Each structure stands twice: as C-alpha cells, then as structure tokens.
C-alpha cells in the first residue's frame, strides 16, 4: 500500500522572489477568472459544457496571446485550471445531492492566495541546500523544520498574511513502526476537560489558549471602531488575522503533542465514533415533578459543543489516524452511547449515576470517579470487546 503525506514548510523568499510570487498569484487569478468566464459563456450562449481537458488544450493558444501568464511554466497554469475543475465538481456534486449551492464565483486578486503544481514539472526540491526551485521565480530558501520522507509528487505554494508556505505532497512514505508498549487507552471528549483518558489523565486547553482568545477578541473590538477604507482599518484587519492564526496554531500544536504522546505510549487507542456521538450529545429534559424542569446542563453542553469546535477534535482525530497508521498502532472507534452513564466498575447504567458534569457516583456499587474518566474507561472496554469479537469472527 502506498501511503501519502503532505509536508508544509515556511518559504523564505528574497524581496525579488517575493515580488515574483505575488505576480504569479495575480496572473493565475486572471487565468482562473478567464477560464471561469469561458465555462459560463459556453453554457449561457451555446449550452455547451467545457471540461478541464478542453481548457488545457487551448492553453497553447493562450500562450501565444498572453505569454506573461506563462512566466512560471505551464504546469502551474494547469494547476489553476484543475482548481476550477474542483470548484465545478463540488458544485455539481452538491446539485446532485439536492442542495442549492452557489455557482463558482470569480475570485478577487487580493484573495487568490495559492497556486499549485499537479505534477513534477516546473519545480524541484533540493533538500541538501534547503531550496525550492520554482520556474520563473528562482531558488527559494526553505525552512525545513522536519525531514521529508517519501517521493515528492506535487506542491502548493500559498500566502498567509505576509508569509509564504509550500505544501509538498509525497507518495510512498515509509512507515515507522513503533515498539510495542503493552498499554491500551480509551479517550473521551470531555465535558470538563478537553480530553479525558482511561488512565485518569485530563487535558485542558492551557492558559496560552485563553490569552490568545482574549487577544483575538480585543483585536476584533479594535477593528470595529475603525473607519472603512482607512489605513488604521487595514492595520487592524491585519492584527485580527495574526491573532486568528496564533489561536489556530496553538490548537494545532496541542493536537500534535497530544496525538504523538497517545500514539507513542499505547498499542491500542479507542475513540468515540463521531457520527453516533453527534446524535447522542443533546441532554434529555429533566422534569422536577412540580410541572417545571430542572437544569439538564444544556447550557453547559452548548459550551461543550463550542469547545469541541474550538479544540479541533476532528483535527486531533485525523492526527491520531495518520500517526497510528504510521506507527503500526491500532485505532478503534466505538459507539459512545451510554458511556457517560455506565459504571466502569460494575456496569450499572442509570442516568442518576452522573451527579454533575464532573462527578460520577454509581448508585449500584458506590464507585466514584471523574465523570469523563469513567466514560473513557467505558470507551476502552467497548473497544476491547469490539476487537475481541472481530477476532473471533475472523477465526470462524
Ligand atoms: Zn457501579
């Protein structure tokens, strides 16, 4: 099986290369909009649909008329046409599934922030000297903070604020199996903590995240007081962008560290099956016997849902998936229903078991635990059972 991975590195262009990159984005934006115009026009006037292949064929003619668009080679132009093709593919897919998506739109030059090379022509990677050669731009310095593995197949160069990045897609990435540890872990998406493990560990988002969010809120407030079109507004806009990226980076760092630690320390990792989790997450109403209702924690759950989005549980999960695959670890997703109400010690399941968001006390055996840790233990147990039955099924 061929594994593929994407590696992202910071580019450190000279000021001349920076200008080149900006021009390249401008010209590719122009090409994108022209290609979109062609598709729209052909359909509006002739009821004829134009494909990616058709547009690639006419590139040769375009080249004679507008050689300036081809300064960085033809591969990057094909990449731009491919991007338009994806936009249309997504549009048609959503049409077929009965949604009403917006027709692909023209892009503003200020927002056209990435270009791609879909094959290995027009660029080259010199890992020894840490340089990325881009046709028409030059040899751009690369900060290779981690080694690249596998065979580079395609790249995307993108701009984020004032920084330029390259994402290198590699195929045939060799696996790096990790030594067995003899440990297993269940992970619960906590109500109180971000993540609780069956080992009793609770992971919170950390104080930096809070500071980052406060900074973001401050930057947004500052932006709201600035006059449209003013220089102050532009600066405030940039500050909001920086604060956003900072918060996102902190979350990503936390997810990387956590997933790495979990994969390194455990042979078997059990997580909640998210499709089921989303359905079971709304708390039941709690009548108080006097015609009214007690608090069912819905507000706390709303907060929880927000923090799920904040914490990037999906991101953590996808990191777990690829790191587990790389390290030869087993990752199982289980149905999370009842895991928060079941006693991990005796199996007694009752909604009264959960005293509050944080405290679990079994009404059957009196077992007391942190509610999220109790749930994580149940998840681990369910994962082990699922694995055992799968193995028994294979044996027959
Ligand atoms: Zn019990």
């Amino acid at each position: 099986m061929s594994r593929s991975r994407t590696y992202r590195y910071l580019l450190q262009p000279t000021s001349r290369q920076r200008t080149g990159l900006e021009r390249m984005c401008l010209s590719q934006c122009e090409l994108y909009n022209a290609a979109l115009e062609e598709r729209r026009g052909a359909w509006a006037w002739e009821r004829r649909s134009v494909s990616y292949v058709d547009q690639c064929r006419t590139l040769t003619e375009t080249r004679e008329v507008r050689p300036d668009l081809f300064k960085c080679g033809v591969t990057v132009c094909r990449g731009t046409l491919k991007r338009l093709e994806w936009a249309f593919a997504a549009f048609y897919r959503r049409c077929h599934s009965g949604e009403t998506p917006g027709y692909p739109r023209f892009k503003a030059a200020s927002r056209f922030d990435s270009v791609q090379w879909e094959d290995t022509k027009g660029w080259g990677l010199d890992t020894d000297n840490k340089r990325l050669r881009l046709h028409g731009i030059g040899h751009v310095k690369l900060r290779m903070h981690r080694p690249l593995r596998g065979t580079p197949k395609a790249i995307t160069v993108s701009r984020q604020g004032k920084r330029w990045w390259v994402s290198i897609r590699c195929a045939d990435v060799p696996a790096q199996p990790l030594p067995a540890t003899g440990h297993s872990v269940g992970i619960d998406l906590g109500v109180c903590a971000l993540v609780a493990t069956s080992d009793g560990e609770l992971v919170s988002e950390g104080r930096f995240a809070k500071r980052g969010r406060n900074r973001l809120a401050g930057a947004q407030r500052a932006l709201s007081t600035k006059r449209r079109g003013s220089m102050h507004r532009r600066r405030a806009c940039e500050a909001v962008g920086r604060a956003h990226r900072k918060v996102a980076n902190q979350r990503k760092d936390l997810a990387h560290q956590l997933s790495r630690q979990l994969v390194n320390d455990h042979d078997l990792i059990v997580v909640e099956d998210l499709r089921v989790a989303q359905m079971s997450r709304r708390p039941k109403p709690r009548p108080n016997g006097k015609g009214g209702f007690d608090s069912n924690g819905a507000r706390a759950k709303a907060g929880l849902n927000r923090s799920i989005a904040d914490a990037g549980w999906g991101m953590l999960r996808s990191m777990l998936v690829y790191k587990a695959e790389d390290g030869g670890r087993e990752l199982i997703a289980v149905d999370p229903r009842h895991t928060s109400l079941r006693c991990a010690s005796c199996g007694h399941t009752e909604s009264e078991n959960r005293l509050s968001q944080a405290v679990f006390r079994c009404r059957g055996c009196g077992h007391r635990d942190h509610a999220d840790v109790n749930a994580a233990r149940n998840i681990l147990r369910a994962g082990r059972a699922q694995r055992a039955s799968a193995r028994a099924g294979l044996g027959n």
Side-chain angles (χ1 to χ4, degrees):
M1 199 184 80
S2 146
R3 291 155 204 272
S4 64
R5 291 274 177 279
T6 302
Y7 297 88
R8 187 165 178 258
Y9 300 109
L10 182 67
L11 288 173
Q12 297 172 296
T14 62
S15 58
R16 192 190 205 131
Q17 290 167 343
R18 195 176 284 275
T19 314
L21 288 168
E22 273 153 18
R23 283 200 185 131
M24 175 177 69
C25 274
L26 280 179
S27 62
Q28 292 307 311
C29 180
E30 201 183 332
L31 178 66
Y32 183 93
N33 287 335
L36 173 56
E37 178 62 41
E38 188 192 8
R39 285 190 182 222
R40 282 169 79 122
W43 184 250
W45 300 103
E46 305 164 41
R47 284 285 177 264
R48 176 171 63 87
S49 61
V50 179
S51 71
Y52 164 71
V53 180
D54 297 334
Q55 295 197 312
C56 277
R57 268 194 210 116
T58 55
L59 271 183
T60 340
E61 297 158 33
T62 318
R63 187 173 207 162
E64 278 161 26
V65 193
R66 290 290 307 274
D68 56 309
L69 293 182
F70 291 80
K71 236 184 132 192
C72 299
V74 74
T75 313
V76 67
C77 297
R78 276 196 217 111
T80 301
L81 295 179
K82 190 91 207 176
R83 193 167 149 191
L84 181 65
E85 169 81 0
W86 286 335
F88 271 95
F91 170 69
Y92 292 134
R93 193 179 55 238
R94 296 184 62 194
C95 283
H96 284 305
S97 65
E99 294 169 63
T100 47
Y103 194 80
R105 289 202 243 175
F106 292 108
K107 292 210 186 284
S110 57
R111 295 206 170 183
F112 200 87
D113 287 329
S114 78
V115 290
Q116 60 205 44
W117 284 255
E118 284 300 305
D119 60 41
T120 51
K121 291 191 194 77
W123 61 277
L125 190 65
D126 181 353
T127 44
D128 296 335
N129 296 312
K130 297 182 177 146
R131 291 286 192 281
L132 176 71
R133 178 182 58 78
L134 292 174
H135 182 99
I137 305 277
H139 292 72
V140 186
K141 210 164 138 191
L142 200 63
R143 196 189 288 168
M144 292 192 88
H145 62 284
R146 57 185 296 204
L148 180 133
R149 294 184 293 135
T151 321
K153 292 286 183 192
I155 60 168
T156 300
V157 169
S158 57
R159 172 173 50 190
Q160 210 179 45
K162 287 174 182 167
R163 293 186 167 181
W164 289 88
W165 301 84
V166 61
S167 297
I168 305 173
R169 212 152 62 237
C170 294
D172 309 321
V173 179
Q176 291 184 312
L178 293 161
T181 60
H183 296 296
S184 307
V185 71
I187 304 164
D188 177 59
L189 181 55
V191 174
C192 300
L194 287 182
V195 163
T197 72
S198 53
D199 301 331
E201 201 181 332
L202 297 164
V203 182
S204 64
E205 62 172 351
R207 63 204 158 93
F208 295 114
K210 190 159 190 189
R211 201 185 291 166
R213 265 208 312 278
N214 287 341
R215 194 186 293 120
L216 176 59
Q220 278 164 336
R221 271 196 305 278
L223 174 64
S224 67
T225 65
K226 303 291 183 287
R227 200 154 34 82
R228 295 204 74 152
S230 69
M231 191 54 157
H232 285 287
R233 189 182 166 88
R234 213 173 90 188
R235 293 227 178 95
C237 245
E238 282 166 11
V240 169
R242 273 198 304 275
H244 253 299
R245 285 195 290 277
K246 180 122 188 161
V247 171
N249 283 339
Q250 282 168 338
R251 277 178 204 148
K252 203 166 161 187
D253 280 348
L254 182 64
H256 265 304
Q257 286 168 17
L258 193 57
S259 56
R260 177 42 67 202
Q261 184 209 331
L262 287 166
V263 167
N264 279 358
D265 297 350
H266 305 95
D267 301 334
L268 170 68
I269 301 160
V270 189
V271 294
E272 299 170 70
D273 189 329
L274 276 189
R275 283 163 302 177
V276 190
Q278 272 158 4
M279 287 185 278
S280 65
R281 224 164 260 295
R282 190 193 297 164
K284 285 196 189 74
R286 253 192 212 172
N288 61 6
K290 286 177 266 172
F293 290 92
D294 279 339
S295 160
N296 63 357
R299 198 173 265 274
K301 286 265 184 175
L304 160 74
N305 289 339
R306 200 175 57 231
S307 72
I308 294 167
D310 282 357
W313 174 240
M315 181 165 66
L316 176 67
R317 197 188 155 88
S318 64
M319 286 177 183
L320 277 175
V321 169
Y322 83 78
K323 284 175 187 172
E325 189 197 320
D326 240 18
R329 302 305 205 202
E330 198 173 354
L331 184 77
I332 298 181
V334 296
D335 182 347
R337 266 175 293 185
H338 308 309
T339 48
S340 63
L341 302 178
R342 186 179 191 275
C343 170
S345 172
C346 73
H348 178 70
T349 307
E350 189 185 322
S351 63
E352 298 303 311
N353 277 350
R354 191 156 191 168
L355 280 182
S356 69
Q357 296 293 342
V359 183
F360 181 94
R361 204 192 64 209
C362 177
R363 307 236 311 168
C365 71
H367 172 71
R368 254 184 108 94
D369 205 344
H370 188 285
D372 295 337
V373 173
N374 178 67
R377 294 203 169 120
N378 285 325
I379 286 169
L380 174 58
R381 183 199 301 264
R384 282 190 175 135
Q386 193 170 310
R387 182 168 70 162
S389 67
R391 286 194 177 157
L394 280 180
N396 289 339

